Amino acid sequence: MSSGPETTNNPPATPAPATTNSAVAATATVITNIANLVTNDPSLGDGSPLGLIQDAAVVIDGDRIAWVGESSKAPATDNHLDAGGRGVIPGFVDSHSHLVFAGDRTAEFNARMSGRPYAAGGIRTTVAATRAASDEDLEANLTRLLHEALRQGTTTFETKSGYGLTVEDEARALRIASRHTDEVTYLGAHIVSPDHADDPAAYVDLVTGPMLEACAPYARWIDVFCEKGAFDGDQARAILTAGKAHGLHPRIHANQLSYGPGVQLAVELDAASADHCTHLTDADVDALASGTTVATLLPGAEFSTRAAWPDARRLLDAGVTVALSTDCNPGSSFTSSMPFCVALAVRDMGMTPDEALWSATAGGAAALRRTDVGRLTPGARADLALLDAPSHVHLAYRPGVPLVKTVWQRGERFL
């Protein structure tokens, strides 16, 4: 299992040795009596990719992890919490979501579950509702979903535009999102806007021109839905290349509904992630294995559309770095639960519980090219979840059970 890229726009403080307590402030908080601590550092604990430490402790100092190790060796601090033999994991890193939207697509879901297959055209329903919504309503819905995800252990998230498809509506979606996360993605190329249905080329010009100019100041990433019914390979290349020229790094919706050029294009352009990766040729897998692009799998979409599952085992065995994410959106994957996605990945995509947990934490961080989240080592951000279970394996062993008892985000305790 690859550890992913080692670059970040926000590097953590220089890590101290995990067994050292010389820099731990007395006012820090130590959590002891942790049955199993997942560090995602293979130099620690059992030497596995998860870096599991049994009977462990972790020290939080401000918004950073100051120390991890065996509970018996934990430094003294003013604040102490007994984990009671529960497990602790890094906060989940949800690297693919669509949270700035309005409206409801319950009727579409109900019809699809009665036999109608999913198609990209359903996005237009949300576009109409989002355009009609106020800024206040869009932000309230975003905040509600973020709180819902936080209660389930998600401490880092990416989110996209893509439900406005006009210059003004795409820019306001990103402006709203940027107040809540640094991981903001411009997705004007979600589908061809209904306003340009008869002239897709003109819409690509808009996406790569005035819309990009208006959106780039609020975004870190640029994305495109490269798929039949959305954008072909040439259009996707033009859009992502224009984004790169404006300082935005590529991501791509690739090979979700059919075989196509998306994965190969992602690797060619050094995209941080190719997302979905459901329909892959051997050449696609080889390309991912030879590059730095992360394959982000989104099992909530397959669950909600009764589509074929991505073959995570095939990717992992080839040496591809894999992330798991929710794809939270109102149409094809309306879940904010990373634990649910972990359970699906284990049950239906060939992943082990260890691999799924890594992919939902360190894998998501790799898909965002971050090293300060998705792991619990000195200097990393103090994002962690205390489980109401002795280990992370229970996330798949007890699917659907709310096992996240307490969450720390940037060192602040919630729940």
Side-chain angles (χ1 to χ4, degrees):
M1 186 182 301
S2 170
S3 61
E6 289 297 321
T7 59
T8 175
N9 283 359
N10 302 290
T14 302
T19 56
T20 254
N21 63 15
S22 58
V24 174
T27 54
T29 297
V30 61
I31 306 170
T32 61
N33 195 18
I34 299 169
N36 285 280
L37 173 67
V38 175
T39 68
N40 284 337
D41 184 343
S43 71
L44 301 177
D46 65 355
S48 71
L50 293 188
L52 282 170
I53 304 175
Q54 295 183 344
D55 190 15
V58 60
V59 176
I60 300 170
D61 188 358
D63 66 351
R64 297 286 162 175
I65 300 297
W67 184 95
V68 298
E70 296 176 9
S71 204
S72 62
K73 299 177 182 177
T77 64
D78 286 350
N79 304 305
H80 172 252
L81 175 68
D82 187 327
R86 297 178 176 89
V88 168
I89 62 172
F92 293 116
V93 180
D94 192 347
S95 60
H96 182 126
S97 71
H98 305 250
L99 302 183
V100 185
F101 69 87
D104 179 274
R105 283 158 68 181
T106 305
E108 176 189 320
F109 175 79
N110 190 37
R112 187 167 63 238
M113 291 299 102
S114 302
R116 186 172 72 200
Y118 168 64
I123 294 168
R124 294 177 178 83
T125 303
T126 302
V127 169
T130 302
R131 289 179 177 181
S134 68
D135 288 11
E136 292 75 18
D137 286 344
L138 291 176
E139 188 153 23
N141 190 51
L142 170 65
T143 302
R144 176 182 65 84
L145 291 169
L146 293 181
H147 289 166
E148 184 177 278
L150 182 64
R151 290 194 300 270
Q152 299 171 89
T154 298
T155 52
T156 301
F157 76 97
E158 177 270 2
T159 198
K160 310 174 192 296
S161 63
Y163 291 127
L165 309 186
T166 67
V167 172
E168 178 182 356
D169 286 306
E170 287 294 292
R172 74 163 177 154
L174 296 174
R175 184 173 63 250
I176 290 168
S178 68
R179 293 198 282 262
H180 298 272
T181 181
D182 294 331
E183 304 298 346
V184 178
T185 301
Y186 166 46
L187 182 59
H190 201 179
I191 59 168
V192 174
S193 168
D195 309 318
H196 293 79
D198 296 328
D199 194 356
Y203 186 65
V204 172
D205 289 342
L206 181 67
V207 169
T208 58
M211 189 183 289
L212 175 58
E213 295 284 349
C215 291
Y218 302 107
R220 181 184 178 198
W221 307 97
I222 185 167
D223 199 344
V224 59
F225 189 8
C226 185
E227 186 61 68
K228 294 176 182 177
F231 298 90
D232 64 25
D234 291 340
Q235 293 169 325
R237 178 180 284 102
I239 290 163
L240 296 179
T241 301
K244 290 183 74 170
H246 282 71
L248 305 183
H249 203 85
R251 328 179 64 75
I252 188 167
H253 285 61
N255 302 54
Q256 177 188 4
L257 306 178
S258 60
Y259 295 97
V263 165
Q264 299 280 347
L265 181 60
V267 176
E268 173 192 329
L269 296 180
D270 187 35
S273 66
D275 298 6
H276 288 289
C277 295
T278 307
H279 300 276
L280 301 178
T281 65
D282 289 345
D284 293 330
V285 175
D286 290 344
L288 288 167
S290 65
T292 59
T293 298
V294 174
T296 300
L297 308 184
L298 309 167
E302 281 72 37
F303 178 86
S304 296
T305 60
R306 290 179 176 160
W309 298 101
D311 189 347
R313 184 78 270 135
R314 179 186 182 195
L315 290 164
L316 291 166
D317 289 348
V320 176
T321 300
V322 172
L324 287 176
S325 189
T326 64
D327 192 19
C328 185
N329 75 80
S332 61
S333 183
F334 201 11
T335 179
S336 60
S337 175
M338 289 290 280
F340 175 63
C341 292
V342 166
L344 290 180
V346 172
R347 169 61 178 81
D348 292 303
M349 289 163 44
M351 301 184 86
T352 68
D354 284 11
E355 290 167 338
L357 190 279
W358 189 96
S359 294
T361 52
L368 296 175
R369 298 201 165 168
R370 299 276 294 270
T371 57
D372 60 332
V373 296
R375 62 189 65 198
L376 295 177
T377 56
R381 212 168 76 175
D383 293 349
L384 56 153
L386 175 67
L387 303 179
D388 200 6
S391 83
H392 65 281
V393 177
H394 282 240
L395 295 169
Y397 180 45
R398 304 193 67 207
V401 177
L403 293 179
V404 175
K405 181 177 178 61
T406 306
V407 178
W408 287 262
Q409 184 182 45
R410 297 179 183 269
E412 182 178 355
R413 182 178 177 179
F414 296 88
L415 307 180

